[in-house]
Amino acid sequence: MNPSEPTASMETGDAKTPIAPASTVTPPDQAPIRLDKSPAGDSVLEKLRTLVEDKTRFEPHQITALAEEELLQDFALQANYVLEARLESRLINGHFLPVAGDDCCAAHQVQPRARDEAKERLRRAAGKLETALQQSGHRYNAIEPGLYLGHAVRHWHLDQCTDCHGKGRVNCNTCYGSTEETCWKCSGVRTVVCDGYGCFGTGKVSCTYCSGTGSVSEQVTDYVQESVPTTIYENGSSRTVYHTETRPHYRTVSRSCHHCSYGKVNCLTCHGLGNINCGTCRASGVVTCRTCNGVGDLHCNPCDGSGKTGNAAWLDVHVAPAYSVNLPKQAPDDARRIRDKEGVHALAQLAGSLSLAKVSVYDPDHPQEVDALYAGKLRIVRLDAVCNQEKHHVVAYGNDLRWLTLDDIIEKLLRGDLKTLTDALAGSADDGLFSSHVESLLVPLRDVAASELNADVIESVLSGENDHAHVDVVSPDYANSVRTGVLGALRQVYTRLAKQFWWKAALGALVATVAVWFFFGARFGALAGLLATGAGYLLFNQQVKTVLSSALGGKAQAERAMQIASKGRRNRLAQILVLAPATLAVLASAYMLPLRVRPLPNTAPALPSASVAPHAAPPVVDASAAKAIKLYENGDQPAALAMLESLVKEGDARAYGLYGWMQLMGRGLGPQGNVTEQQRQARQVAAKPWISKALARGDSYALTAKGVMLAEGWQEPRNMPRALDFLKQSAQKGNTEAMHVLGLYHVRGYQTPVNNKEARKWFTMAADKGSAADIYNLGLMDWEGAGLKRPDRTSAMQRWKIAASMGEERAIKAVKQGQP
């Protein structure tokens, strides 16, 4: 901390708490404000009648006054302010800037000198507080707890920093001033474990010729002589003669691989050593210190680079106010109940006048407490009234006439309607399980709902509020009773109307299902039936709203009643009665109806058309994405494409990826030699939606297609780094096409530097999965010496023979002519 920044008001400043406007408090030199009735002539009787008129369905003239008494109750509000002198001490450094009046002293005198000011600081704070309280227009609670009087003098001392000896900088704790540290990667050894693919520090990798098995297979041709019979026909008879022919006999033999030792060869990265030079320190064993960045020393923290440290101390005076209200001994019980109910601050707001009586400072020599006594007056009005031939005693208080007690005068008016509703609910229980009449419940429900106070109470109870609405008007027992009665009536109304409506909703949903099924099939029929079920429920709600609007006298009242029923979850049974039968009818009909409707015979005459060669209808096959992928991998691309087309039409998302890839590359679409640029672009446009849909599922063929589109700039801006990322994701999923494309891009240097090592890696992974084209590519790299120290044509020929046996045409040609 820098104590040079002010933390509180200075010696000449005033108290921190602002002073309230004069209109909220009575100055001590003025007479208290007298409490009279409002200019409009408002009284407790008028307020009570307004409550009945606004919040109930009863007439206000049902309440008549017998007597009304008004008095001004005196009370005393005491504000006690406890003052405390707190010692504040801070560590400082050479950046500390003293101001005029600050005291520089010895280190052992800093805090004692600050403590010696306690008596004077408290005396001055008490004087400022007393002056503030006696100001005209000062609020009784204007002084807030916290800092009241800030420091006047700061006592401080500075010495030379012992950590840096006054220099402001210290030696680096990592390199100790040498500016270098041991390499964190190689720990100073200067070599690290080889990270070559397949090596991992062993110095050996799997042989690419034998795939690490140590043996290779080759085809051997043996020529054997066989006796071949020949039938000769002469003069109507036949005879058989035998002659010897030499025929080739092929067999596969296994021999040891002469390119490796037990399937392993030296790693080309570390040349069999297992370690390579550390790239972090460039094989030097040391790097620039990361703590000080090669400077050798660091900024000194204790002194913040200033070279000096010390401490400073001062005294701040804090205030803690406390408030209490006292009533005279002869005060009535009503006044004491009001005090206990409202509390100090609420009572001060309700008071008609509040004036400062006196201010007392205790212990003038060492003041720590200041008391302010305020005199106030509270308006209390008592009313004796008659309602329904019963006498009631009502008490209100304050300028706004808050209710202290209503003596159940409103609750007794409302309980008559509630009892009628409760009796109607009890009678409805005897109507039977299948009863659907609601008229007997609507009249008592209308009477209860006509009193807006009931709706307010129910909504507050359902919201989980601690105190229900109009807590001063009706009791918690009545609030729970009206909630139970109204929610029970609404549940009966919903349920009985649902008993009238459920078969209509089920019939409408069933008709919609069958009608749509007849033209579009069962799947669309079921969808139409479910939509009709939802529409039926909306119609049911509209019917409930119509019935309640007629009964309660308006749409607004009906909507509020429906909201209360929904919040109280009293419409759940009705929802089940309306939705369940209709939904079951839709599902049952969709299950029992056939998938398709047999089309009607076409009786229209055939139109003349161009001659088309007749063809048989394709046989029905059990199409699945897995079978289509198997056909594609086995080389039967046309059959795979035909199967995929049927799958995508049925919405099988598993077929989207391979279908998009085949469309993009033209696989299975016939000869590719005469494809125009327009046709190629059309294929790309057609393939893109399927690829995008399959990408969301992480399909490996979609990832491969996306990578090729980004690399080639097909329907996408060219972006080679993203393309390689997509292709590697697909290759990691085992996609041979992605491995093949990655190998081609790296060996050709297409939009990326030539990397024979990376190309050989991807070609090898594809060859291990049985790709004849990539076995041929590996042989071609061996022939040209790509990624090797020298060409290895023997290995190349062996690879081509393996690829030729798998049907690779280029390999067959290379084996036949002895070169690619």
Side-chain angles (χ1 to χ4, degrees), residues 421-475:
L421 179 62
T422 305
D423 294 342
L425 279 174
S428 66
D430 300 330
D431 291 346
L433 180 62
F434 300 101
S435 176
S436 60
H437 300 289
V438 296
E439 289 76 10
S440 61
L441 292 171
L442 294 179
V443 174
L445 179 61
R446 178 193 60 200
D447 292 340
V448 173
S451 297
E452 186 179 348
L453 185 145
N454 289 327
D456 295 341
V457 170
I458 294 171
E459 288 180 347
S460 62
V461 172
L462 292 177
S463 300
E465 299 177 3
N466 294 331
D467 293 329
H468 63 79
H470 308 289
V471 66
D472 295 329
V473 179
V474 294
S475 65

Side-chain angles (χ1 to χ4, degrees), residues 256-300:
S256 298
C257 179
H258 62 271
H259 294 282
C260 63
S261 175
Y262 301 103
K264 297 292 183 179
V265 296
N266 286 340
C267 175
L268 297 178
T269 303
C270 62
H271 303 289
L273 299 177
N275 291 329
I276 58 175
N277 288 336
C278 177
T280 303
C281 62
R282 298 185 179 180
S284 65
V286 294
V287 294
T288 301
C289 178
R290 292 171 291 169
T291 304
C292 64
N293 293 324
V295 177
D297 56 6
L298 300 172
H299 189 77
C300 180

Side-chain angles (χ1 to χ4, degrees), residues 158-179:
L158 284 174
D159 284 324
Q160 187 182 62
C161 178
T162 57
D163 288 24
C164 64
H165 304 290
K167 297 178 182 179
R169 299 187 70 85
V170 294
N171 280 345
C172 176
N173 55 11
T174 301
C175 66
Y176 303 101
S178 64
T179 73

Side-chain angles (χ1 to χ4, degrees), residues 68-80:
E68 183 173 344
E69 176 189 7
E70 179 176 340
L71 62 91
L72 295 179
Q73 176 63 50
D74 295 326
F75 69 91
L77 188 154
Q78 183 176 3
N80 175 256

Side-chain angles (χ1 to χ4, degrees), residues 353-372:
S353 65
L354 195 64
S355 59
L356 180 67
K358 68 175 181 177
V359 178
S360 303
V361 179
Y362 295 97
D363 191 3
D365 295 332
H366 195 72
Q368 291 186 342
E369 289 190 26
V370 177
D371 280 350

